[in-house]
Amino acid sequence: MPSIYTPPSEQPRHTVSDSGLLRAVVQGEVRLSCEQGLELFRGLELPALGRWADARCREIHGETLRTYIIDRNINYTNVCNAKCTFCAFRRDSDDHDAYTLEYGKILEKIGELQAIGGTQILMQGGMNPDLPLDWYFGLLRAIKEQYPRIHVHGFSPPEFVEFVHFFNPPGASFEEKVRWVMLRLREAGMDSLPGGGGEIFAEPVRRKIGLGKCDAESWLTVMYVAHSLGMFTSATMMFGHIEGYADRIHHMKLVREWQDRALRETGDDTACAKPRGHYKAFITWPFQRENTPLGRVKDWGANPAELGQPFPGDIVAKAFNWGENPEVDYRQLGPAAAEFGRRVRMAGASEYLRTQAISRLFLDNIYSIGSSWVTMGPHVGQVGLFYGANDMGSVMMEENVVSSAGTTYCLDEAVLCRLIRDAGFIPAQRDNKYDILRVHDGANAPDLAVTDWSTHRARKMHQQSPRQPKAELTVSAKA
């Protein structure tokens, strides 16, 4: 009989300067409170925080293997009805560089992936109102007919929310409507959901940066439906813009709470007759400002008079009170808060490593923490393996979203393996469920077999041509 999942208890009377508290967190005996998580942003030196996060990672994943996957990001359309201020990728349908890929082009990309030993596609796009639901069904069937062994990690929660809005499927509630769509996409060939579109869950922030994008409750409900259908998913967070530090902890708190629910229902055989899924991974990255509307906002501290004042996002986050006051009006919080949304606090490498390390310690029920070398660069990504990360993500053949904002790092399998090995670990290729496919501990390992590293230098990542012809539709979504 399956055991009932019981999360660790909190010990809120202790501070993070108490090594006994952090030792218990490392061993999985105690859970950090929100206040303790917030304290870690300033209450512990970065190297010390890294050591605690690394210890927690080793407690879960051992001393030897660190993983990666070979997949390909396929952004099938850049047409989107949301107007997120942090996004440089979206286009209106009548823009000259708007595109929707034809089936044949998508299949060609998957063939290139399979040729290098890839196992998965990460398929996401804009929320395109001109694509009917049958277009997605047909695409998935075509993929599985030609590449039955490729795992389709496709369609993030905001896309599902728009499927419901665009097509109004049967169901008495939002959850039932999502389930109707998800079941049919799964029957057509979708295997799991990626965690895109999480950004920051706090409503004051989301209303400012995610115009037209779903709220936190909808995002989390989509993932709950996926878990109830036995799918394994990921959660993400994009930080380093207008949010306060407490907003980052609140975001992790919601992921942790909904993961508790999924794990509890997995272990309770009275709650479900079939196996259930849950979040497998959490990945964070800093906002990339180039070519984005939000990127044109002034940096906090550009005016020296601001340096002695609290950051507007921190003021609003405190009033938001971990979600207890979702309708907080920043205009009533004083002169400094009036600049909320008009100032950004960008995050560099140190802030990224700190946030990742905190996520490892705070998210005691998440198996994998991913290092975001795609946005931070390969060597910061490598250092991330000592700040709580156990996974280096994907060999990146193609990516069009963050690269639209100026990030263009691209590494092949040999370089990714070398980064892991040079950090003192053995590289291992994994699949979507984080099961190990290959352990590269022999002379034929991708990195150990290289004789000329000059042919493996980081290069510019492939980006989808903006002149790609639009897919011809046989059914109009507006019909």
Side-chain angles (χ1 to χ4, degrees), residues 200-264:
I200 289 288
F201 286 148
E203 280 305 307
V205 175
R206 210 165 178 86
R207 286 194 295 265
K208 283 283 188 182
I209 70 171
L211 305 177
K213 184 169 278 188
C214 66
D215 62 14
E217 184 75 14
S218 299
W219 194 100
L220 292 160
T221 298
V222 170
M223 286 304 196
Y224 176 74
V225 172
H227 299 157
S228 73
L229 296 177
M231 296 183 189
F232 295 98
T233 71
S234 57
T236 63
M237 181 176 75
M238 183 197 70
F239 64 93
H241 40 87
I242 72 170
E243 89 289 349
Y245 292 121
D247 290 324
R248 301 183 200 174
I249 297 298
H250 168 258
H251 187 101
M252 297 180 205
K253 169 181 174 284
L254 289 179
V255 171
R256 191 171 73 178
E257 288 175 349
W258 285 70
Q259 179 79 328
D260 280 344
R261 180 181 179 183
L263 294 174
R264 192 177 292 113

Side-chain angles (χ1 to χ4, degrees), residues 76-87:
Y76 58 89
T77 183
N78 65 351
V79 177
C80 189
N81 67 343
K83 298 185 184 298
C84 300
T85 62
F86 56 84
C87 183

Side-chain angles (χ1 to χ4, degrees), residues 87 145 156 241 253 260-261 281 309 320 339 391 414 434 439:
C87 183
E145 181 178 347
S156 61
H241 40 87
K253 169 181 174 284
D260 280 344
R261 180 181 179 183
Q309 304 176 29
F320 182 60
E339 296 300 307
D391 187 76
Y434 288 79
V439 176

Side-chain angles (χ1 to χ4, degrees), residues 18 24 80 130 160 196 202 212 266 306 368 407 432 460 477:
D18 183 342
C80 189
D130 294 325
F160 271 93
T266 297
E306 296 173 342
S368 177
T407 299
N432 175 266
K460 183 165 179 158

Side-chain angles (χ1 to χ4, degrees), residues 16-33:
V16 297
S17 61
D18 183 342
S19 61
L21 170 69
L22 293 180
R23 192 173 298 111
V25 169
V26 164
Q27 294 169 353
E29 298 170 352
V30 169
R31 165 170 286 186
L32 290 174
S33 69

